[in-house]
Amino acid sequence: MKTTDTEQTPPDASATSATSATSAAFDAVRVAVVVGSNREGRFGPVVADWLLSRIRERGDLVPEVVDVADIQLPTTLSPTPEATAALAAVTPKLASADAFVVLTPEYNHSFPAGLKNLIDWHYTEWRAKPVALVSYGGLAGGLRAVEHLRQVFAELHAVTVRDTVSFHNAGGSFDDAGRLKDASAPDAAAKTMLDQVVWWGRALREAKERRPYGGERGRDAIERRMRPWGLT
C-alpha cells in the first residue's frame, strides 16, 4: 500500500507572538500609583519617578498616576461643584484600577492630610483590591505612616500586601538627578512588592468576576453611604 505524506504547515510565529502579547495585556493588572504628598517642596515626585520606572519595565502591570497635589477636594466632604469636578477627574481612575501603590511620606508619625482626604472621599473604589505601600522619610523611612495606612485600608475592605519599600534618609539616597545612589536593595524590594500586587490583583479581580464582594446587602450599605455625595 502506498501512502502519501501530508505536509504540515508550521505555526505562524508572528501570530503566536501576537496572541501571547494580547493575552498578557488582557491579564495585566491596572495599578493606580497614588502620590500622597502635596506639600510645597515635596520629595515625592523623585520617589514616584523611580517607582514608575520599575513598574514600566514589567509586562504584567499597567500604571496610571493619581497625584494628590493635582486634586482639589475640600476637607468638608461637601458635594460642591468644585468637589464634583475634582471627583469626575480622579474617581474613574481609582474605580478602574485593579490595585494601588500608595506612596507616602511621614508627617508627625503619620501620613499626609491630603492623602487621607482623597481616601475618605471614596469607598467602593478601594474595596476588595490590593494596596501596596511605598514610604520615605528620615530614620524611620516613613514606616509609621505605613502602619497607620494599613488600619485605614482595612476599614475600607482593601488588602494591604505584606512587603513594602521604604527609603530611610530619603534625601541622601538619591543624587541631584533623581537617581538612586545604590539601587540594589530598593530594586529587589520593589520586585517582591510588585510581584505580590500582581498576584493579589489578579486573584481578587477573578474572584469578583465570579462573585461580587459583600453581596447585595453590602452593596446597599455602600450606596446609602455614598448617595449624599452623588457618587453612586
Side-chain angles (χ1 to χ4, degrees):
M1 178 183 296
K2 184 177 180 181
T3 60
T4 302
D5 293 334
T6 302
E7 183 178 350
Q8 295 184 347
T9 303
D12 187 334
S14 61
T16 302
S17 177
T19 300
S20 299
T22 300
S23 176
F26 177 78
D27 198 36
V29 171
R30 301 181 301 274
V31 59
V33 177
V34 180
V35 184
S37 173
N38 59 358
R39 180 175 284 186
E40 180 71 21
R42 61 186 181 149
F43 192 73
V46 175
V47 182
D49 286 344
W50 165 82
L51 176 64
L52 287 165
S53 70
R54 301 284 75 77
I55 293 174
R56 288 168 178 150
E57 290 175 351
R58 305 174 61 112
D60 51 6
L61 287 168
V62 178
E64 182 162 26
V65 176
V66 175
D67 193 338
V68 169
D70 296 334
I71 304 165
Q72 303 302 316
L73 283 170
T75 57
T76 58
L77 297 182
S78 175
T80 63
E82 293 77 13
T84 300
L87 290 170
V90 68
T91 301
K93 295 181 180 180
L94 300 179
S96 64
D98 300 309
F100 305 96
V101 179
V102 176
L103 172 63
T104 182
E106 182 176 312
Y107 295 166
N108 299 322
H109 283 217
S110 193
F111 55 94
L115 175 57
K116 185 62 162 62
N117 196 39
L118 172 68
I119 294 170
D120 289 348
W121 268 101
H122 296 88
Y123 189 65
T124 56
E125 291 77 13
W126 309 113
R127 284 172 64 92
K129 295 178 183 180
V131 180
L133 299 163
V134 176
S135 65
Y136 59 94
L139 291 176
L143 291 175
R144 289 171 292 210
V146 164
E147 292 310 308
H148 287 182
L149 280 167
R150 289 192 190 279
Q151 298 176 60
V152 172
F153 281 115
E155 174 64 17
L156 294 167
H157 297 249
V159 179
T160 55
V161 303
R162 190 271 180 196
D163 285 86
T164 64
V165 179
S166 61
F167 290 96
H168 305 259
N169 185 26
S173 299
F174 292 81
D175 63 21
D176 292 340
R179 294 184 296 262
L180 275 171
K181 295 176 181 178
D182 183 359
S184 55
D187 284 356
K191 182 183 184 308
T192 298
M193 180 191 72
L194 294 173
D195 285 348
Q196 293 174 9
V197 169
V198 170
W199 191 93
W200 278 106
R202 287 172 173 167
L204 292 174
R205 182 176 62 192
E206 292 166 7
K208 287 181 291 185
E209 288 170 353
R210 299 183 63 175
R211 185 177 295 108
Y213 179 77
E216 294 299 327
R217 182 177 179 184
R219 286 200 297 275
D220 289 345
I222 295 166
E223 289 178 1
R224 285 196 301 273
R225 177 171 175 172
M226 302 302 287
R227 194 171 295 123
W229 300 336
L231 301 179
T232 58

